[in-house]
Amino acid sequence: MTQVPASWFLTLSAVLFVLGVAGFIFRRSVITMFMSIELMLNAVNLTFVTFSYELKQVDGHLFVFFVMVVAAAEAAVGLAIILTVYKSRATLNIDEVNSMKN
Amino acid sequence: MDSFIVISLIKTFVIFAVLMTTLAYLQWVERKVIAHIQVRPGPYRVGPHGLLQPLADVIKLITKEDLVPPYVNKPLYLFAPFFAITMALLSISVIPFGPTIEVAGYRTWMQLTDLNIGVLFILAVSSMGVYGIALAGWASNNKYALLGGLRSSAQMISYELPLSMAIASPLLISNTLSLRRLVGTQAGNLWHWNLFHGWQYVSFIIFLIAGFAETNRVPFDLPEAENELVAGFHTEYSSMKFASFFMAEYANMITVSCMATLLFLGGWVPPWPAEYGSSFVPVILFAGAGIIALMHGLNPARKRDRYTLPAFGVIFLIIAAVFLLPIVQSWLLPLFWFLAKTGAILFAFIWVRGTLPRFRYDQLMGFTWKFLFPTAVLNLLATALVVALVS
Amino acid sequence: MDVILFLVFAIIAVLAAINVVVQTHPIASAVSLIGVMGSLAVLYLLLGAEFIAAAQVIVYAGAVMVLFVFVIMLLNAGAEVRKGRSFMASLLGAPVLIALLALLAWFVERIYPESVGVHFGGFTGGGPEAIGRALFTTYLLPFEITSILVLIAILGAVVLARKEID
Amino acid sequence: MQLWLIPLLPLAGFTINGLFGRRFSKGVVNAVAVGSVLLSFAWVLKTLIALGVLNTAYSEHYFTWIQSDAFSVGCDMSVDRLTAIMLLVVTGIGSLIHIYSIGYMAHEGGYYRFFAYMNLFMFFMLVLVLASNYLLLFVGWEGVGLCSYLLIGFYFDKKFATDAGNKAFIVNRIGDFGFSLAIFYMVRQFGTLDFGTVFSKAPAAPESALTIIGLLLLLGAAGKSAQIPLYVWLPDAMAGPTPVSALIHAATMVTAGVYMTARSFAIYTHAPMAMEAIAVIGIATAFFAATIGMAQNDIKKVFAYSTVSQLGYMFVGVGVGAFSAGIYHLMTHAFFKALLFLGSGSVIHALSGEQDMRQMGGMRGKIPWTCWTMFCASLAISGFPFTSGFLSKDAILLAANHHAPWMYWVGTITAGMTAFYVFRAFFMTFFGDYRGHEHHPHESPPVMLVPLVILAGLSLAGGYLFKVPEFLGTIFPTLEMPEDFGLMAIASGAGLLGILLAYVMYVARPGIPDAIASNLRGLYTLVYNKYFVDEIYDAAVVKPVVGGSRLLLWKGMDAGIIDGMVNGVGARAKSIGGALRMLQSGNARSYATWVAFGGVLVIVALGVAEGVTR
């Protein structure tokens, strides 16, 4: 059976997405949560590509391209924020970062 | 179907063997050239003119005690060198060395495989190379290593941008990402090479500078600079892991120079068409080299040269003779031209290492962000404008 | 053949993803995330998205993840200390996630039972040429907007991360 | 002929006194008030003389008050023989009482206010009498109710006066409720309220409708003329000054009910059931009030119950079909009852406020004029032969006998009781020795005595001066009755027996009443306490209504439901807000959990929707 049904790809992306969500919910370190977000985005990218394969259109790839650009921007700003948070509160544990006062 | 696999395996084996020996002997060449630049003989004890020196080094590194310091982050510590060397070797698989070759009835390209996104693949692989160094620096849990790792990966990242810009402009002209077709577009004589297309030599220079930085070579090899950061990111590494980092560095050097030849110097295309005698150039070169070697062999500066130099002379003459054989010429000549150009650029690497002083880190970073990157972008825009107007 | 390829890289991706979540030390999860991205790049190739695969490796794995590794190295973030594990979160979270997964899977299977088979040469539209044409014709506006977005992100990152010169 | 001038004069008196009374001296206030009533009386005489025989009703239309397509109500007045009598009674006795009250109210506070209200009362009463459609009559009806409230509560600083005013007004309102229902029903049934058209259409209307209208009108009349169910307010109305009781609660207002039923004789003649109801209620009230009157010690209370009882007689007259007899008794009753009240007023005036008969006695020598004028009134009310009271009461009793013999016998017993309690009061006040502690009771001034004398003359000879039955014969269907002297003899005999009994018990042997009272203890206390009717009403009606409204309407409905809802919404919002506040915990991971939870819900929803549509 040389053909892989597309639904497997979607299921795989679902698994990755859920793992991303789990990571975001259960982990305490800010960076790891940030990485789970990236994981979620990757899962979404996979879905995009699968659907563009199915519909034989290139638009899906464009969306993935834009997702990547946005993810890059987000990562840059996010990490900068993490740095400043670390500088001001010397902690990476999200639970301790829960109030606007510093 | 299976012939494809067999052929690929054979090609892989051939290329792997050639590459590994080249890696080793490249180090020998480098040490010899730098030595002669600094008017010292360089390695000549182990084997004639130190030819066996690389072999000795390899044996030394293999037999050295492979200690793993306790305080390191063991998995990543072991993973980093492995990752660095794989990424470095990976890009060789896409580089075409010559046109087709006819062996025992099977015609195949002198290239492991051809991706229609070859250039992108190489870019991707080179950008992954950063991890090897970054993780090595961090995993060895040592301040110098960490700083060295950070600095070198920062440098590689920053220089990646002008590198990709420099690559982009010739691509605009040849309008393809597949390396094989890239060379195809530069067929014909010297003026067809991308280098002389418009002002592509600017992007050639940017490419080379970025290439130097990518491979942490001399002007930009601050991270490994002995006097500041002990040995940079591979301070804690010993024996084989240390060797792998070195091999990775040289492999990267080879990749960059191959890319330079392919993108700008027309790959295996002879400078002027064969009918004007370009096919005789290698014969002349080797014959000349052989004669010179024989002459020096007559009154040797050192007594053991009496045997080695005439031996080299004879070998060179044999090679010159081989180039004359027509049946081999079809693939040997293109291969020669490709290797000649790549060798020239490699020599430039080594030459630069011997002459230029080291950049300070902030100068290094300032240079790329304030000068190199803007020029690369402008160059790309100008090339795009020209291409748009021309077509 | 393709199935084997898919299965191999799918399993790698899932294991790496689990590793991202499970590992206490951020650097370990960072590396496993790179693993996920690499395997996804291969899957993209399987789906005929060459440019996106290369972009994924260059942009995502090559640049974004390096940022992460940088930050981890700069902050010298130690392993996460396991304290204050609120029982409620796992009580509420776990079933929700499992439900989410089951739902998505059911949704996929049910909505796309007759999905088309994927094989290597299936779709060759993913090349840089096709993407370039689409990007600069139909999707020109988003392209410009994202360029501005990235510019703003850079400014933001610089302003945020620079040391107060006081 | 400007009929409108008759009611307008008292109105002018009212407005002048009402607005500028404070600055007038007593003399000017008297002049304005009494003058306006006397002018109105003179104008009435002029119009009646000018109208002559008045075989047909003379009416004037001024403006259309309500106009809604077919249904229209005009402000128009009419005079016929019945109205003529009522006008004479109202304005005549009104002016006498106004003159009397000059003396009586001389040193009371709020002098101009009293006369303003009295004039206002006269205005409304005249509107009521002159109205030629039910709605204008109803305006007068309400107006007199208002004035009775104002005048009863004249001493507004005393609690029992204001309570009595409220009681009177509320009980009257219940009656008015029935009256207004009747008006609505008439509008639905006849499409108009004008007397003429209503009475012409009445015979054609179904008997059931007429019965209903009749009964509702009876309810209104019972309220206003203090009949059985709604008489409780009259005894308490004595809280007002005595001229008020005389004018409103004896002569004019209470008779409005009788006038209205008499006026709608066309409806009642075609609704025998309603007529029967009137008769029965009349006789019951007469007997019942008489029994209570016998045991009262307050002089004004005695006469109040006697008014209720005499009104009962008038209703009997109307009920049995002898409308002219009813009106005849109305007129004569106005004369002697006004006299009785004014007399008791001057007695109270003499004793400077003392009302309890047990504190009086032996006043014969001290205030001879009052004594003898009241003697004449007492003779008239107890039906002493050849007094006007005798004529009108016998006419009613004869008609009652013709209608239903048992009514005649109950009427005769009541006549006896009436005679007994009137003379009991007379003897307790004027005979025996003085039991009070007022050192020198003085005779009232002439301005009070002159009206008494005139009224005394009228109550004795009034019946002969104005032959009402013949006068009203043309309007009302006459009852041909054989002149049965036997019955008249029995009735007057009962009256004489009552007088004799009173004389024996209160003059000859004063000990007897206490003896009877002691051995008939149970009955006496029952009667003395007015059969506890007030208490029963209070328990049966007032308590449940007030309690119910407090419990159900106020606590239950208002506080419970409405406030409940409003506060409930506020509380709900607060509690929800409280719950949601927990979400904003600042813990990013809990936010994520909720987002995931939301995501799951959305997907489930989509799945379900998808499942549904597929």
Side-chain angles (χ1 to χ4, degrees):
Chain A
M1 138 48 181
T2 59
Q3 300 222 328
V4 183
S7 55
W8 288 12
F9 282 94
L10 296 177
T11 322
L12 171 66
S13 77
V15 168
L16 290 179
F17 185 79
V18 165
L19 282 170
V21 169
F24 186 76
I25 287 178
F26 291 116
R27 293 310 301 272
R28 266 184 196 58
S29 141
V30 180
I31 298 175
T32 316
M33 289 170 78
F34 215 45
M35 276 189 237
S36 355
I37 296 177
E38 298 300 330
L39 183 58
M40 285 195 244
L41 286 171
N42 277 330
V44 168
N45 284 352
L46 179 61
T47 329
F48 271 129
V49 173
T50 321
F51 281 130
S52 75
Y53 176 86
E54 255 193 60
L55 304 170
K56 296 292 184 283
Q57 283 166 353
V58 81
D59 300 21
H61 299 189
L62 266 299
F63 279 103
V64 171
F65 179 75
F66 288 130
V67 165
M68 278 190 208
V69 168
V70 169
E74 176 223 342
V77 175
L79 292 173
I81 291 172
I82 290 174
L83 272 177
T84 39
V85 162
Y86 188 80
K87 254 187 281 181
S88 68
R89 306 217 182 148
T91 168
L92 278 178
N93 184 337
I94 192 77
D95 291 348
E96 285 156 23
V97 179
N98 58 10
S99 75
M100 302 293 274
K101 314 192 284 307
N102 66 343
Chain B
M1 179 55 187
D2 55 5
S3 70
F4 167 73
I5 295 174
V6 167
I7 292 173
S8 308
L9 278 178
I10 296 168
K11 277 203 280 186
T12 323
F13 180 72
V14 164
I15 291 174
F16 181 72
V18 165
L19 184 64
M20 295 316 278
T21 48
T22 333
L23 280 183
Y25 276 92
L26 190 60
Q27 190 180 21
W28 174 76
V29 167
E30 176 168 17
R31 289 171 73 174
K32 272 291 189 193
V33 164
I34 296 220
H36 288 297
I37 291 174
Q38 295 162 355
V39 191
R40 56 182 173 78
Y44 60 87
R45 283 200 192 288
V46 183
H49 294 286
L51 270 173
L52 294 180
Q53 178 62 32
L55 192 62
D57 288 348
V58 165
I59 293 163
K60 175 192 77 173
L61 286 174
I62 289 171
T63 54
K64 262 233 169 85
E65 186 221 356
D66 191 353
L67 62 91
V68 174
Y71 44 73
V72 294
N73 180 334
K74 202 174 293 304
L76 287 181
Y77 180 76
L78 300 176
F79 175 74
F82 161 74
F83 194 71
I85 188 67
T86 36
M87 284 306 141
L89 294 179
L90 207 57
S91 53
I92 206 73
S93 63
V94 181
I95 294 172
F97 301 101
T100 59
I101 180 171
E102 176 76 22
V103 169
Y106 291 99
R107 170 170 291 282
T108 173
W109 281 91
M110 292 176 64
Q111 179 189 20
L112 197 54
T113 173
D114 175 53
L115 290 174
N116 53 18
I117 50 163
V119 173
L120 277 183
F121 178 77
I122 291 179
L123 263 180
V125 164
S126 71
S127 69
M128 292 299 277
V130 169
Y131 286 110
I133 296 162
L135 291 178
W138 190 79
S140 46
N141 203 352
N142 160 328
K143 277 190 296 304
Y144 301 111
L146 178 66
L147 275 176
L150 271 176
R151 286 193 175 175
S152 59
S153 40
Q155 170 193 323
M156 284 176 73
I157 295 270
S158 345
Y159 277 94
E160 210 175 303
L161 279 172
L163 184 78
S164 36
M165 293 290 169
I167 289 173
S169 40
L171 293 184
L172 278 178
I173 294 167
S174 50
N175 206 350
T176 169
L177 279 171
S178 148
L179 291 169
R180 180 182 303 161
R181 253 178 267 112
L182 197 67
V183 170
T185 54
Q186 298 176 39
N189 61 22
L190 199 66
W191 306 113
H192 293 287
W193 290 356
N194 281 344
L195 182 65
F196 302 107
H197 237 250
W199 55 86
Q200 283 313 315
Y201 48 82
V202 170
S203 30
F204 178 67
I205 294 166
I206 295 171
F207 179 81
L208 275 187
I209 296 169
F212 275 80
E214 276 291 312
T215 53
N216 290 338
R217 286 297 292 174
V218 165
F220 310 96
D221 71 348
L222 189 80
E224 305 106 21
E226 285 72 21
N227 40 27
E228 270 105 9
L229 292 169
V230 182
F233 54 86
H234 45 69
T235 323
E236 293 294 337
Y237 284 91
S238 59
S239 75
M240 206 44 213
K241 295 188 288 296
F242 177 76
S244 62
F245 276 118
F246 255 81
M247 279 196 287
E249 187 189 331
Y250 283 109
N252 277 336
M253 222 161 76
I254 290 171
T255 315
V256 166
S257 44
C258 295
M259 282 298 287
T261 52
L262 286 169
L263 282 167
F264 296 96
L265 305 177
W268 61 82
V269 169
W272 55 81
E275 55 268 24
Y276 296 107
S278 67
S279 55
F280 296 108
V281 165
V283 171
I284 298 161
L285 268 175
F286 279 103
I291 294 160
I292 294 166
L294 284 174
M295 283 173 52
H296 279 295
L298 296 181
N299 42 34
R302 295 179 299 242
K303 60 180 174 14
R304 78 178 171 289
D305 287 351
R306 284 195 308 287
Y307 309 107
T308 55
L309 281 177
F312 283 149
V314 167
I315 293 163
F316 280 140
L317 287 173
I318 293 162
I319 293 169
V322 162
F323 269 99
L324 287 174
L325 296 176
I327 57 163
V328 180
Q329 262 181 343
S330 67
W331 56 272
L332 197 59
L333 272 174
L335 190 62
F336 164 75
W337 283 113
F338 180 79
L339 291 178
K341 293 171 192 169
T342 320
I345 295 174
L346 282 171
F347 178 74
F349 267 83
I350 297 163
W351 182 14
V352 160
R353 179 173 177 194
T355 50
L356 290 182
R358 192 171 289 121
F359 270 115
R360 214 181 47 238
Y361 186 66
D362 55 348
Q363 286 171 332
L364 181 136
M365 293 306 280
F367 173 70
T368 173
W369 285 110
K370 294 197 177 104
F371 173 72
L372 200 62
F373 179 58
T375 39
V377 169
L378 285 178
N379 168 23
L380 179 62
L381 289 180
T383 327
L385 193 66
V386 163
V387 165
L389 293 179
V390 162
S391 71
Chain C
M1 235 298 278
D2 304 350
V3 174
I4 300 158
L5 183 80
F6 170 77
L7 286 178
V8 164
F9 280 100
I11 289 162
I12 292 172
V14 168
L15 291 180
I18 293 170
N19 200 351
V20 166
V21 176
V22 168
Q23 282 294 343
T24 55
H25 204 289
I27 201 77
S29 47
V31 169
S32 40
L33 189 56
I34 296 160
V36 170
M37 292 184 183
S39 48
L40 279 183
V42 172
L43 289 178
Y44 289 157
L45 285 175
L46 177 59
L47 285 164
E50 291 129 359
F51 179 78
I52 291 298
Q56 162 102 341
V57 172
I58 299 172
V59 170
Y60 236 135
V64 172
M65 286 320 293
V66 166
L67 270 180
F68 273 94
V69 169
F70 257 44
V71 167
I72 294 167
M73 289 204 282
L74 275 176
L75 299 183
N76 199 353
E80 215 178 272
V81 63
R82 282 193 177 285
K83 73 163 176 51
R85 291 190 67 74
S86 95
F87 177 70
M88 206 278 284
S90 52
L91 189 72
L92 186 68
V96 165
L97 291 174
I98 294 159
L100 187 66
L101 178 61
L103 262 166
L104 288 176
W106 171 78
F107 212 50
V108 163
E109 289 311 320
R110 195 169 171 301
I111 303 303
Y112 291 102
E114 74 292 338
S115 61
V116 73
V118 173
H119 57 276
F120 242 118
F123 169 60
T124 54
E129 189 260 350
I131 289 206
R133 173 165 287 95
L135 190 60
F136 292 106
T137 50
T138 45
Y139 288 90
L140 188 57
L141 179 62
F143 178 74
E144 297 306 334
I145 291 173
T146 40
S147 60
I148 295 167
L149 176 75
V150 170
L151 176 66
I152 295 166
I154 296 168
L155 288 179
V158 164
V159 165
L160 275 175
R162 75 176 155 65
K163 284 191 178 50
E164 286 77 20
I165 310 141
D166 46 13
Chain D
M1 200 66 73
Q2 284 86 19
L3 285 178
W4 52 272
L5 204 58
I6 301 170
L8 211 64
L9 281 168
L11 184 65
F14 160 71
T15 35
I16 294 165
N17 271 341
L19 293 179
F20 312 109
R22 189 188 303 283
R23 273 183 293 286
F24 288 165
S25 70
K26 276 199 168 55
V28 172
V29 170
N30 291 347
V32 167
V34 177
S36 65
V37 173
L38 285 175
L39 276 177
S40 165
F41 179 55
W43 195 256
V44 161
L45 290 179
K46 174 192 168 298
T47 39
L48 289 185
I49 293 161
L51 287 177
V53 178
L54 252 179
N55 279 331
T56 61
Y58 163 77
S59 66
E60 287 179 355
H61 170 74
Y62 301 112
F63 59 88
T64 314
W65 179 14
I66 296 175
Q67 173 65 46
S68 77
D69 77 63
F71 170 68
S72 80
V73 172
C75 166
D76 34 21
M77 298 185 180
S78 71
V79 177
D80 61 3
R81 291 189 171 210
L82 176 59
T83 325
I85 293 174
M86 287 304 287
L87 280 177
L88 283 174
V89 165
V90 168
T91 45
I93 296 200
S95 31
L96 285 179
I97 291 175
H98 272 74
I99 294 161
Y100 173 88
S101 45
I102 294 171
Y104 187 83
M105 296 299 283
H107 37 68
E108 292 281 348
Y111 193 75
Y112 74 93
R113 191 159 56 82
F114 175 77
F115 278 104
Y117 289 158
M118 292 289 271
N119 278 7
L120 185 64
F121 173 78
M122 289 305 291
F123 162 70
F124 278 120
M125 195 59 201
L126 289 172
V127 163
L128 189 148
V129 168
L130 283 168
S132 84
N133 61 46
Y134 274 100
L135 203 57
L136 202 58
L137 187 141
F138 192 64
V139 164
W141 191 274
E142 291 298 318
V144 286
L146 169 69
C147 295
S148 90
Y149 163 75
L150 290 173
L151 285 165
I152 294 170
F154 180 71
Y155 301 117
F156 52 77
D157 46 6
K158 294 195 180 56
K159 179 131 183 19
F160 68 84
T162 46
D163 285 354
N166 283 343
K167 186 169 181 181
F169 194 74
I170 291 166
V171 171
N172 276 342
R173 290 308 298 173
I174 297 172
D176 298 350
F177 180 67
F179 193 123
S180 44
L181 283 183
I183 288 177
F184 298 150
Y185 202 90
M186 268 192 257
V187 166
R188 201 176 74 78
Q189 192 63 36
F190 303 115
T192 173
L193 289 174
D194 194 63
F195 287 147
T197 34
V198 165
F199 298 150
S200 60
K201 284 187 182 170
E207 201 208 316
S208 65
L210 288 178
T211 318
I212 292 172
I213 292 174
L215 286 175
L216 286 173
L217 286 177
L218 171 61
L219 180 63
K224 190 62 73 181
S225 308
Q227 289 307 302
I228 271 293
L230 301 171
Y231 74 94
V232 284
W233 63 274
L234 192 58
D236 290 354
M238 293 308 122
T242 314
V244 168
S245 318
L247 175 66
I248 298 180
H249 304 129
T252 48
M253 191 182 98
V254 285
T255 57
V258 178
Y259 162 73
M260 189 266 287
T261 37
R263 170 62 75 189
S264 355
F265 67 90
I267 296 176
Y268 283 107
T269 42
H270 294 86
M273 225 264 282
M275 289 243 322
E276 190 56 32
I278 293 176
V280 164
I281 285 185
I283 198 71
T285 318
F287 177 77
F288 185 72
T291 53
I292 299 176
M294 285 193 296
Q296 295 307 320
N297 287 327
D298 180 334
I299 187 165
K300 289 180 74 175
K301 281 274 183 343
V302 171
F303 294 137
Y305 279 108
S306 97
T307 308
V308 174
S309 155
Q310 298 307 317
L311 283 168
Y313 268 106
M314 295 176 211
F315 269 77
V316 166
V318 169
V320 295
F323 298 97
S324 48
I327 298 299
Y328 192 28
H329 189 60
L330 180 148
M331 188 183 73
T332 54
H333 173 269
F335 295 146
F336 52 73
K337 189 46 67 59
L339 175 53
L340 280 175
F341 267 108
L342 294 183
S344 62
S346 72
V347 165
I348 296 166
H349 185 72
L351 297 175
S352 62
E354 180 52 59
Q355 291 196 348
D356 193 336
M357 288 194 290
R358 286 167 297 190
Q359 306 303 326
M360 305 178 188
M363 300 289 284
R364 202 170 50 250
K366 298 180 182 69
I367 44 172
W369 283 96
T370 318
C371 167
W372 292 117
T373 49
M374 281 189 75
F375 180 71
C376 306
S378 308
L379 284 179
I381 189 168
S382 50
F384 192 81
F386 304 114
T387 58
S388 53
F390 162 76
L391 291 177
S392 58
K393 188 170 286 189
D394 279 349
I396 291 176
L397 286 178
L398 285 180
N401 176 43
H402 173 70
H403 181 68
W406 64 271
M407 278 195 187
Y408 171 76
W409 290 108
V410 171
T412 320
I413 295 164
T414 316
M417 281 197 282
T418 315
F420 171 75
Y421 63 67
V422 166
F423 273 88
R424 165 178 174 269
F426 182 73
F427 292 133
M428 280 177 80
T429 321
F430 294 104
F431 286 75
D433 39 19
Y434 180 64
R435 292 180 293 278
H437 38 65
E438 181 66 25
H439 15 76
H440 46 74
H442 53 284
E443 183 52 287
S444 310
V447 79
M448 289 170 72
L449 295 180
V450 167
L452 291 183
V453 168
I454 297 170
L455 281 173
L458 281 175
S459 51
L460 288 180
Y464 301 100
L465 286 177
F466 311 100
K467 284 279 178 273
V468 167
E470 293 76 23
F471 186 65
L472 291 180
T474 56
I475 305 174
F476 294 120
T478 54
L479 278 170
E480 66 301 328
M481 289 184 298
E483 205 58 50
D484 183 343
F485 289 100
L487 292 176
M488 286 167 67
I490 297 165
S492 50
L496 295 174
L497 180 67
I499 296 168
L500 190 66
L501 208 64
Y503 180 76
V504 165
M505 287 172 66
Y506 285 94
V507 176
R509 284 185 205 59
I512 294 178
D514 302 341
I516 297 174
S518 56
N519 54 37
L520 287 179
R521 175 55 50 197
L523 185 64
Y524 176 74
T525 47
L526 186 68
V527 170
Y528 179 70
N529 291 319
K530 310 187 279 296
Y531 294 98
F532 302 105
V533 169
D534 281 341
E535 288 72 17
I536 294 167
Y537 270 7
D538 193 42
V541 174
V542 174
K543 282 275 181 313
V545 166
V546 169
S549 64
R550 169 168 299 110
L551 194 62
L552 283 177
L553 294 184
W554 177 40
K555 282 274 187 311
M557 178 69 175
D558 184 31
I561 296 173
I562 297 169
D563 290 359
M565 273 203 291
V566 168
N567 300 344
V569 167
R572 286 300 80 65
K574 207 160 83 66
S575 62
I576 293 169
L580 288 182
R581 194 172 58 80
M582 300 294 292
L583 286 179
Q584 314 291 340
S585 60
N587 178 343
R589 288 171 48 256
S590 74
Y591 297 155
T593 323
W594 286 112
V595 166
F597 194 67
V600 167
L601 288 185
V602 163
I603 293 171
V604 164
L606 281 176
V608 167
E610 188 68 24
V612 165
T613 50
R614 191 162 291 278

